[in-house]
Amino acid sequence: MKNTFLKPFVLGLCLCGFTAFAQQNIYELPVAKPADAGMRSYHLSYIDSLANEAITEKQVPGILALVVRDGKVVYHKAFGQADPSGKKLETSSIFRIASQTKAITSTAAMILWERGKFQLDDPIAKYIPEFKDAQVLDSLFPDGSYTSHQADKPITIRHLLTHTSGIGYGAIDGDARFRKLFEDAGIIDGFTTKNITLAENEPKVAKMPLHHNPGERFTYSEGIDVVGYLVELLSGKKLDVFMREEIFEPLAMTDTYFYIPKEKHERLVAVQALENGKWTDAGSNAFYAANYPISGAQTFFSGGAGLSSTALDYAQFLQMYVNGGELNGKRILSPTTVDFILSNQIGNIWADQGAGHGLAFKVVGEGASAKGGQGSPDTFEWGGYFNTQYFADPQQKLIGIILKQTLGTNNDQTAWKFRNIVFSSVAE
């Protein structure tokens, strides 16, 4: 039986004091010295400088960084504080990963796709009838009424997975009209302490007008919450149960939850904001309830934003993809399925970025790769609302994860600097 108590202890040994514990592989990803995984130790140490500088300059109050090469953890360190009291950030700390949830929900859907439960180009209305006859917004009036016209095609499951459905995103939508429409309809945009379910929320989303015709362009949306509801409908299980049984348990993701159990509450990192030169608890704002992972009704499982996790747990999820769909003998997806999940599904919509979007991640194309600092072609990536980022390069078998918990820190330069350091640490 796996000794989960030792998990954070052993990981703290990374880069220094590699003892016999570190060689026992008592967790899914073993620790290795950077040189043994083809990485430059001294160059990875620039991450220390990056983190300390960012904390001194008050870009962030705390930062956790993890690097994996060839399936081995070569760097895993935490710096700074976990909350305004000065509590130390630990490598075992739990973070709200927000939109990093999306890739996991998309994976859950593709598990069901492999079992013949749906086709990617099925209209979502086949499973959620409220999406029939979708409308595109024309004008919104001060009284909340609006005019619209019928979309030129149905929303498909592929549209949802690629954020090309035209569905809006409420409180974080770039268009103020959609922020108002979603608020007036009482739609939950991400996570909540309220007593509501996906079965109650997503049919409301279906009644909202669209930004544009499905497939026309990329519009970041609440569509992955709809995918989460689809998983519930097709599996007959709540989304948290399906993820636990099909993804978290096989991948030994023992610290990933929609709602964190009481015995782990103290490991949750506070969301902080800089006020008058001091880091303070960001508390609640119009978009989220500060205590959503640990209190409230705990009935809403947001497939787009609701999970909390650790860096190691998320690395194990990404390593499964780097390995072509399996980790330590536990196969989640077929290699052929992974190949097209990581293939561009949106045509030339992001051609100016030299990138594409697959069925779960943004994918670096040859154009962006050739410009430097983005990784090899087919590197996949995303991040989360509370300032978390990750990337995984299947060609180099390299994973980088950087976690913070902040709001309103527009001067934070850590994400791109971390990426540059990690990719240039490759020695062979």
Side-chain angles (χ1 to χ4, degrees), residues 149-198:
H149 63 274
Q150 187 159 342
D152 66 1
K153 64 179 73 68
I155 298 170
T156 68
I157 297 169
R158 192 188 304 270
H159 291 142
L160 294 171
L161 290 167
T162 57
H163 296 278
T164 58
S165 67
I167 292 172
Y169 215 156
I172 65 170
D173 202 295
D175 188 325
R177 299 176 302 168
F178 285 87
R179 294 197 296 270
K180 178 174 174 52
L181 284 167
F182 274 57
E183 181 180 6
D184 289 349
I187 293 171
I188 303 301
D189 305 316
F191 25 76
T192 184
T193 56
K194 295 179 181 179
N195 186 10
I196 189 170
T197 65
L198 291 175

Side-chain angles (χ1 to χ4, degrees), residues 308-319:
S308 296
S309 188
T310 61
L312 179 63
D313 270 19
Y314 209 81
Q316 289 167 183
F317 171 70
L318 296 176
Q319 189 66 48

Side-chain angles (χ1 to χ4, degrees), residues 343-414:
S343 298
N344 180 30
Q345 302 283 324
I346 62 172
N348 293 322
I349 290 176
W350 279 353
D352 60 333
Q353 299 181 38
H357 196 286
L359 296 174
F361 311 93
K362 180 179 179 180
V363 182
V364 173
E366 290 187 6
S369 177
K371 291 180 179 180
Q374 298 299 305
S376 308
D378 300 327
T379 293
F380 54 99
E381 62 186 64
W382 207 249
Y385 180 77
F386 299 109
N387 201 3
T388 63
Q389 296 89 25
Y390 68 86
F391 59 84
D393 183 334
Q395 183 173 313
Q396 292 293 334
K397 298 182 180 179
L398 183 64
I399 293 169
I401 298 173
I402 186 169
L403 304 178
K404 296 90 63 175
Q405 293 281 265
T406 60
L407 286 178
T409 51
N410 296 327
N411 67 328
D412 179 11
Q413 302 292 306
T414 58

Side-chain angles (χ1 to χ4, degrees), residues 7-156:
K7 182 177 181 180
F9 171 74
V10 174
L11 285 171
L13 299 173
C14 184
L15 290 184
C16 61
F18 282 80
T19 70
F21 283 118
Q23 305 304 319
Q24 290 178 13
N25 193 17
I26 59 176
Y27 48 87
E28 296 302 323
L29 293 179
V31 170
K33 293 180 180 179
D36 292 339
M39 301 289 282
R40 296 189 289 171
S41 297
Y42 73 90
H43 203 83
L44 284 173
S45 70
Y46 291 133
I47 300 172
D48 297 42
S49 303
L50 158 69
N52 289 322
E53 181 179 276
I55 292 167
T56 299
E57 295 180 355
K58 297 195 173 180
Q59 295 180 32
V60 292
I63 188 168
L64 189 155
L66 182 146
V67 181
V68 176
R69 182 85 192 284
D70 288 335
K72 303 175 183 68
V73 177
V74 297
Y75 186 100
H76 192 196
K77 289 188 179 183
F79 304 82
Q81 65 187 39
D83 64 31
S85 74
K87 178 182 176 182
K88 184 180 178 182
L89 190 67
E90 305 284 354
T91 54
S92 60
S93 293
I94 296 174
F95 293 74
R96 299 163 180 83
I97 61 171
S99 286
Q100 290 186 204
T101 305
K102 289 179 169 65
I104 297 176
T105 302
S106 299
T107 300
M110 294 309 294
I111 290 170
L112 292 172
W113 175 85
E114 285 196 333
R115 296 173 186 175
K117 295 294 186 179
F118 66 89
Q119 297 186 77
L120 285 165
D121 294 316
D122 281 346
I124 188 61
K126 178 178 179 180
Y127 308 98
I128 308 173
E130 289 85 353
F131 278 97
K132 187 178 180 181
D133 300 323
Q135 301 289 307
V136 178
L137 181 66
D138 290 324
S139 300
L140 175 67
F141 302 107
D143 64 359
S145 62
Y146 62 87
T147 59
S148 63
H149 63 274
Q150 187 159 342
D152 66 1
K153 64 179 73 68
I155 298 170
T156 68

